[in-house]
Amino acid sequence: MGICFSCPYLQQGDVAMQNFFQYFFGVGTEPEFALFTLAHFIPILLLIGVIFLLHRYQNVLRNFSYETNLRYILGFSLIICDMSYYWRLAACPWLSNGAIEHLPIGVCAWSVIFCAFMIIGKSQRLFDIAYFWLLSGSLFALLTPTVLTYCGPTRFRYYQFWLEHSLGYIAIFYMIFVHKMRPNRRSLIRSYSVLLAMTALAAWVNHMIPGANYLYMAHPESAPSVLDVLPPNYALRIIVMVAVITAMFGLAYLPWYIKDKRNRSA
């Protein structure tokens, strides 16, 4: 006996499934995510826990028979997490504002891409860039993830955001603990130079596309964040942002500077 696809029960199921996917992959009309709540702290605590385990079992991981496969899995997961952001926009065109918002110009997205190829190929050059970008620029995304304001724990975007950013940090600390990679002064200069190039590109795009706000240089975010303390004047805003990022780069390199200094004096 054949299945009747015009059955009202099947039609009701299709509608329910469609409503679920529209909800899960969409965004809310009211704020669903609040800073410094359990939904904010739990992913950060889980990330800290994983980094601790990487440090605790670094020798085990280094001698693991399938360590290469483990790196490939992590790299592939990073790529999937990053691409799923754009797959979601392609499947839900009402979420996309086109080139105004979704050109591939951003520290977080490129950090994830760099981390993926870094951990697959054990690339020191990509580590140099990703280390400083993650510990300087992307750190603000973890502290004030304002892109999640309308996407709580019942939305796809919530999990995509935290997985993407967390896996980037896991990849960096994996290479530090397991493969003993580390930045140096040349790494700092290389990473800073690439960031300045992206900043110049973002400033040009912001100027050419009305409403664009890449790297949040044009105006503050729509939701409260640490960037709200920046002056509204464009020139002053850029100067302050460059000064803050420069200081963050210095702080990211400080532990290694202290370590080197102690080794020289020992």
Side-chain angles (χ1 to χ4, degrees):
M1 184 175 180
I3 298 176
C4 176
F5 288 97
S6 62
C7 174
Y9 295 106
L10 289 178
Q11 291 178 353
Q12 291 175 6
D14 291 342
V15 171
M17 185 63 69
Q18 182 179 6
N19 290 337
F20 167 77
F21 280 114
Q22 286 182 342
Y23 176 87
F24 183 63
F25 289 100
V27 297
T29 56
E30 298 292 334
E32 297 180 358
F33 177 86
L35 300 179
F36 313 124
T37 60
L38 280 178
H40 188 186
F41 287 133
I42 287 178
I44 295 176
L45 291 175
L46 289 174
L47 173 59
I48 293 173
V50 172
I51 293 173
F52 171 78
L53 292 175
L54 289 177
H55 179 266
R56 177 68 175 79
Y57 296 103
Q58 56 184 286
N59 293 327
V60 175
L61 291 169
R62 189 179 304 113
N63 299 313
F64 183 48
S65 302
Y66 298 98
E67 191 274 334
T68 300
N69 295 345
L70 187 61
R71 286 189 290 106
Y72 284 8
I73 292 172
L74 181 53
F76 181 74
S77 299
L78 280 159
I79 294 172
I80 291 297
C81 282
D82 186 60
M83 291 305 300
S84 66
Y85 174 77
Y86 296 98
W87 292 337
R88 168 176 169 264
L89 296 179
C92 308
W94 65 88
L95 297 175
S96 176
N97 202 15
I100 294 179
E101 294 180 355
H102 302 300
L103 288 175
I105 304 173
V107 171
C108 295
W110 277 104
S111 295
V112 171
I113 295 172
F114 290 153
C115 283
F117 288 97
M118 169 203 71
I119 200 165
I120 290 174
K122 295 195 291 186
S123 171
Q124 178 68 48
R125 289 181 177 273
L126 292 178
F127 173 87
D128 292 345
I129 298 172
Y131 173 84
F132 287 103
W133 283 24
L134 279 171
L135 271 69
S136 300
S138 294
L139 183 63
F140 292 114
L142 298 185
L143 296 177
T144 56
T146 54
V147 295
L148 296 181
T149 300
Y150 297 96
C151 297
T154 60
R155 308 277 187 174
F156 170 81
R157 174 63 169 143
Y158 174 86
Y159 298 98
Q160 186 272 334
F161 173 89
W162 286 112
L163 269 176
E164 181 179 42
H165 287 75
S166 297
L167 288 176
Y169 280 92
I170 290 171
I172 285 293
F173 283 98
Y174 184 94
M175 299 310 288
I176 290 175
F177 295 139
V178 178
H179 290 283
K180 302 304 179 181
M181 283 191 178
R182 54 151 296 173
N184 52 40
R185 293 182 181 178
R186 187 162 46 188
S187 306
L188 192 154
I189 295 172
R190 177 182 295 121
S191 181
Y192 197 81
S193 298
V194 176
L195 180 60
L196 287 179
M198 177 171 287
T199 301
L201 175 62
W204 179 76
V205 172
N206 290 342
H207 175 73
M208 296 298 295
I209 302 178
N213 188 30
Y214 289 101
L215 300 187
Y216 306 107
M217 294 191 298
H219 53 78
E221 297 178 85
S222 57
S225 75
V226 294
L227 297 178
D228 291 342
V229 301
L230 297 177
N233 180 272
Y234 183 77
L236 289 176
R237 187 177 183 84
I238 299 300
I239 292 173
V240 173
M241 290 182 73
V242 170
V244 170
I245 291 299
T246 301
M248 292 296 294
F249 268 57
L251 287 175
Y253 182 66
L254 184 61
W256 304 99
Y257 173 80
I258 294 174
K259 180 180 179 181
D260 291 341
K261 190 174 182 179
R262 287 179 176 176
N263 290 338
R264 286 194 299 267
S265 61

